[in-house]
Amino acid sequence: MRVLITTDTIGGVWTFTQELAAGLLERANDVLLVSFGREASAAQQQQCDVLGRQFGRRFRYVATEVPLEWMERNERAFEDGARLLEREAAAFAPEMVHSNQFCYGALDVSVAKVVTAHSDVLSWARACRKDPLENTSWLQRYVAHVQAGLSGADAVVAPTRWMMDAVADSFALPACRAVIPNGRSVAAEFERARVLRAVTAGRLWDEAKGISILSDVKSSVPVAIAGDFSHESSERAANLGNARFVGQLSETEMLGLLGESAIYLCLSVYEPFGLAALEAARCGCAVIARDIASLQEVWEDGALFFNTAEELAGLLGRMARDAQFLEGARRRSFERSQYFSRERMVEKYCRLFQKVKAGQARAEHVA
């Protein structure tokens, strides 16, 4: 099958599409990957260069800086992106369009379209803000883009049941819906010696990541925070207790840090899936996660959950005192992470693509 995939260069969607593209290529599919949002980093371009060398003409990457539908300047986000995608589709002749932005479900193409809902602004606001978002022209455009894309899609996918329900709370969805958990191909590492250190990752200025809770956590366990701190609002969270900032790390650097550390903190108040926690668990870290429905769905008994800074401090303290408790937590997280493999994810997407292409995916199902 020839699959046109859209991605963005801002966050976890990039990682997801790299895994999906590689898995599809390994199964003898052809892939055209088109990115939006901002210029690809050198590391991102290198990842695509590797796929190009490995799979030759069966893979092609097109980088653009067309804004994403949720960005502030979204006046022409759909129009500019659609024009480019329709031009690329005419040359590539895809049999399937898989969009990882909502709006491109409305593309004017003659093939089936699948949209994956990784997150959305309205569910983010419900989780992160006390007051509703102001009904600005920007928000109106965003809502219109999302609904048009969902209305034009043949199927919608979400990585958790929670995320599917969250989108359905705000938008009308197509009849065909599938919950397909994300997957990672990070090499499993459990037995390696560990430093008693907790790691967390996220954009410090994004309240969804919940990193500010660390200012109230009293613990002797050192915490390393990896992520983008360039936004001006990051200065407000400069005092975060026993934590140090390690900056924005490359994938190799981040996996190296996780492979040496014992604990990962998933502090998010809004997390439709949580790829960073999955990577950490596959690297052998115990996962401590905020007690929210989406993370409960993903981790079940594979993580330890907290609601307050005091509960988080208590878990860290027990891990520092009790090596057996820490070892058991690490093993449960590691074992749970093995379910979320790239192979399983790609297999489910392939089955869905074939059903949608054949016109057989008529009703809701869980892949």
Side-chain angles (χ1 to χ4, degrees):
M1 187 182 296
R2 296 174 66 79
V3 186
L4 189 163
I5 302 175
T6 75
T7 187
D8 74 59
T9 53
I10 308 297
V13 172
W14 175 267
T15 302
F16 162 80
T17 52
Q18 284 290 304
E19 293 281 14
L20 180 61
L24 290 172
L25 289 162
E26 289 168 353
R27 291 166 175 254
N29 300 283
D30 292 1
V31 173
L32 170 61
L33 182 67
V34 183
S35 68
F36 298 92
R38 65 187 179 199
E39 182 181 3
S41 69
Q44 289 169 331
Q45 183 63 59
Q46 185 177 35
Q47 286 178 295
C48 291
D49 291 344
V50 169
L51 289 178
R53 289 194 295 271
Q54 185 174 359
F55 296 102
R57 290 190 293 178
R58 290 203 294 110
F59 174 75
R60 182 166 168 254
Y61 171 52
V62 176
T64 83
E65 298 180 56
V66 174
L68 300 167
E69 60 210 354
W70 55 262
M71 288 181 163
E72 184 177 358
R73 301 192 65 177
N74 65 352
E75 293 88 349
R76 295 191 54 80
F78 173 72
E79 290 82 354
D80 291 348
R83 186 183 304 109
L84 182 147
L85 287 171
E86 288 163 9
R87 183 174 66 246
E88 293 293 340
F92 179 66
E95 299 167 83
M96 173 68 57
V97 171
H98 176 217
S99 177
N100 292 284
Q101 293 77 40
F102 290 104
C103 63
Y104 299 126
L107 281 178
D108 184 14
V109 292
S110 60
V111 297
K113 294 166 288 187
V114 172
V115 169
T116 294
H118 296 279
S119 64
D120 81 279
V121 167
L122 300 186
S123 62
W124 171 90
R126 288 194 295 269
C128 300
R129 300 284 178 88
K130 293 180 180 179
D131 300 318
L133 293 171
E134 184 180 355
N135 189 27
T136 62
S137 57
W138 164 81
L139 183 60
Q140 293 170 10
R141 283 192 300 272
Y142 171 80
V143 169
H145 284 327
V146 173
Q147 188 57 71
L150 288 168
S151 297
D154 296 276
V156 61
V157 180
T160 52
R161 169 60 59 188
W162 180 89
M163 187 66 230
M164 186 71 77
D165 292 343
V167 177
D169 284 343
S170 303
F171 301 97
L173 305 185
C176 179
R177 310 170 193 178
V179 175
I180 303 180
N182 293 334
R184 282 290 268 138
S185 58
V186 173
E189 267 191 293
F190 185 80
E191 302 301 336
R192 184 175 175 180
R194 302 283 155 162
V195 174
L196 182 61
R197 173 177 56 216
V199 177
T200 193
R203 298 175 292 272
L204 192 59
W205 45 267
D206 183 352
E207 56 259 58
K209 299 306 179 184
I211 293 174
S212 61
I213 194 174
L214 292 176
S215 61
D216 297 319
V217 174
K218 295 177 173 58
S219 171
S220 62
V221 177
V223 179
I225 306 173
D228 180 6
F229 314 136
S230 60
H231 195 277
E232 59 185 10
S233 62
S234 298
E235 297 176 5
R236 296 201 301 266
N239 181 19
L240 291 176
N242 189 28
R244 67 183 180 92
F245 305 107
V246 297
Q248 194 158 9
L249 304 181
S250 68
E251 180 176 299
T252 300
E253 291 169 334
M254 187 65 188
L255 294 178
L257 178 65
L258 293 171
E260 296 170 351
S261 304
I263 304 163
Y264 184 81
L265 306 179
C266 189
L267 307 175
S268 301
V269 299
Y270 175 76
E271 191 63 83
F273 182 85
L275 274 173
L278 174 57
E279 293 166 356
R282 289 183 69 87
C283 287
C285 296
V287 174
I288 300 178
R290 198 180 291 263
D291 190 2
I292 58 176
S294 56
L295 294 177
Q296 285 276 5
E297 179 183 342
V298 170
W299 289 100
E300 298 181 351
D301 62 354
L304 296 167
F305 295 93
F306 71 93
N307 285 296
T308 66
E310 291 75 16
E311 290 174 354
L312 176 54
L315 289 170
L316 288 171
R318 186 173 178 188
M319 287 182 171
R321 296 189 305 271
D322 188 340
Q324 188 173 358
F325 177 73
L326 174 57
E327 180 79 1
R330 287 183 56 225
R331 189 167 295 281
R332 288 192 300 275
S333 295
F334 181 77
E335 290 173 353
R336 178 61 176 163
S337 74
Q338 302 312 296
Y339 174 78
F340 301 104
S341 66
R342 179 169 83 189
E343 291 76 14
R344 181 177 280 109
M345 177 185 75
V346 173
E347 173 63 28
K348 291 181 176 183
Y349 268 100
C350 284
R351 288 205 302 264
L352 177 65
F353 288 168
Q354 291 292 351
K355 288 180 180 179
V356 172
K357 180 186 174 187
Q360 297 173 348
R362 299 187 181 90
E364 180 173 354
H365 72 286
V366 176

